[in-house]
Amino acid sequence: MNDVGIDIEIDGVYCPKCNDLHPTLMWHEKYNDYLNKDEWIQEYKEALLRFKLEISDTEAIERYYEHVEALDIIQKDYSGECIVCSTLTSFVNKKTGNFVCSDECKYKDNETKI
């Protein structure tokens, strides 16, 4: 007799806020809150210290910009309204050039571009 298995693929991260799956862990979180450059760098350096690793401020700043770049967003020196929800933000979607305040809004902005 053949064993028939069920193959389940989970496509996303469970979100207790809206009881749904999202492509990213920080889906609803605003970039301004968790990508604040000074706070991000400080937390990153503290995390490295737990592993007895140290980096210079210059290296930490480079890592911050690499992290933001990996999210397909750019941080500007000025703010604008999010194209989706009108929240004031300094982050821009690299694909569309529109201000976006979160992964959720970036995804919606990308959908309108297609």
Side-chain angles (χ1 to χ4, degrees), residues 19-57:
N19 197 27
D20 201 359
L21 294 176
H22 300 307
T24 66
L25 183 62
M26 306 297 275
W27 185 254
H28 299 292
E29 303 301 318
K30 303 296 185 193
Y31 295 140
N32 286 351
D33 293 338
Y34 79 94
L35 288 178
N36 175 292
K37 186 166 86 173
D38 294 334
E39 289 177 21
W40 189 95
I41 290 170
Q42 184 64 32
E43 289 174 11
Y44 184 74
K45 289 179 80 172
E46 288 173 8
L48 289 177
L49 283 175
R50 286 186 216 128
F51 297 101
K52 301 196 184 329
L53 301 171
E54 288 188 53
I55 61 172
S56 69
D57 288 341

Side-chain angles (χ1 to χ4, degrees), residues 31 34-35 66-73 94 103 106:
Y31 295 140
Y34 79 94
L35 288 178
E66 288 170 2
H67 179 69
V68 170
E69 173 87 12
L71 295 173
D72 272 345
I73 56 178
K94 282 174 53 177
D103 286 346
K106 183 179 75 171

Side-chain angles (χ1 to χ4, degrees), residues 37-103:
K37 186 166 86 173
D38 294 334
E39 289 177 21
W40 189 95
I41 290 170
Q42 184 64 32
E43 289 174 11
Y44 184 74
K45 289 179 80 172
E46 288 173 8
L48 289 177
L49 283 175
R50 286 186 216 128
F51 297 101
K52 301 196 184 329
L53 301 171
E54 288 188 53
I55 61 172
S56 69
D57 288 341
T58 304
E59 286 177 293
I61 291 168
E62 287 175 16
R63 298 269 171 87
Y64 171 78
Y65 285 116
E66 288 170 2
H67 179 69
V68 170
E69 173 87 12
L71 295 173
D72 272 345
I73 56 178
I74 300 166
Q75 186 173 21
K76 298 289 187 176
D77 293 333
Y78 53 92
S79 297
E81 286 188 358
C82 175
I83 190 74
V84 177
C85 70
S86 300
T87 298
L88 199 60
T89 185
S90 60
F91 294 92
V92 172
N93 184 343
K94 282 174 53 177
K95 291 182 181 172
T96 65
N98 295 324
F99 282 97
V100 288
C101 67
S102 64
D103 286 346

